[in-house]
Amino acid sequence: IERLDHVQRSLDAGGAMASSDAYQQQALEMLLSRRAREAFDMEREDVRVRDAYGPGPWGHYACMARRLVEAGVRFVTVDMPHWDHHSNLEKGHGANMRAMDQAVGALIEDLDVRGMLDEVLVLVMGEFGRTPRINQGLPNDPVPGRDHWGQCFCAMLAGGGVRGGQ
């Protein structure tokens, strides 16, 4: 919210809004609107709901995605940082999978409880999979792990009219 306030002041002071085209103005007005500001204000969210999504950035981002959709945003991307582990799979990927499972599970349940799941498609995927065989380690990381494998990856879809269990 502080960053949005700064953007608003900078635009007003520099006259950028007046010199922007209609589409840029519309985008800025949406971003700086009261409705968007309320969606970004996580203090407005019930602490029990926030806790259901899990601690840390992943739970926060997934809950924020629901709040943005509720505010009328039509497309939300949630980036899950620190995902690319090649070794120490239990500590790296294992912890990530548990956090993602809690955040995505809470998102799907929250959308369902609010009657929004049929209208919102949740897509969870990455840009590549992992090799089926464990390597012997990398030059900068001697711990065995898995390499990138662009020939295979998986995706999970929920809501948006998609029939479950496919």
Side-chain angles (χ1 to χ4, degrees):
I1 292 174
E2 289 174 11
R3 289 181 185 164
L4 290 175
D5 288 340
H6 177 73
V7 168
Q8 179 72 56
R9 285 192 299 275
S10 296
L11 291 171
D12 291 344
M17 281 295 278
S19 65
S20 300
D21 68 28
Y23 296 111
Q24 290 171 319
Q25 287 180 10
Q26 182 181 17
L28 288 168
E29 287 168 5
M30 281 192 303
L31 182 62
L32 300 172
S33 72
R34 179 187 57 78
R35 197 169 178 193
R37 296 169 78 66
E38 289 174 358
F40 284 115
D41 186 357
M42 290 297 287
E43 295 301 316
R44 292 175 165 264
E45 189 65 58
D46 184 308
V47 69
R48 292 171 297 191
V49 173
R50 287 194 324 239
D51 288 348
Y53 281 85
W58 294 11
H60 180 84
Y61 299 156
C63 186
M64 177 65 67
R66 193 267 302 148
R67 291 178 59 81
L68 290 168
V69 168
E70 215 170 21
V73 175
R74 306 274 305 185
F75 187 91
V76 179
T77 299
V78 177
D79 179 31
M80 301 297 193
H82 312 295
W83 186 264
D84 194 12
H85 294 277
H86 289 265
S87 64
N88 203 350
L89 299 177
E90 174 50 35
K91 212 174 198 186
H93 275 309
N96 287 347
M97 290 302 295
R98 286 186 288 279
M100 184 191 71
D101 183 52
Q102 183 174 358
V104 172
L107 174 62
I108 292 168
E109 184 174 337
D110 200 5
L111 290 168
D112 189 37
V113 165
R114 294 167 191 271
M116 300 168 61
L117 188 57
D118 286 340
E119 303 301 318
V120 176
L121 177 65
V122 177
L123 168 64
V124 179
M125 64 177 285
E127 71 276 23
F128 51 78
R130 294 293 176 157
T131 55
R133 292 199 172 98
I134 294 178
N135 65 32
Q136 297 305 308
L138 302 171
N140 62 341
D141 186 359
V143 179
R146 296 186 187 269
D147 298 316
H148 294 175
W149 201 27
Q151 295 89 335
C152 179
F153 66 95
C154 61
M156 186 219 59
L157 290 90
V162 172
R163 189 165 54 109
Q166 303 303 301

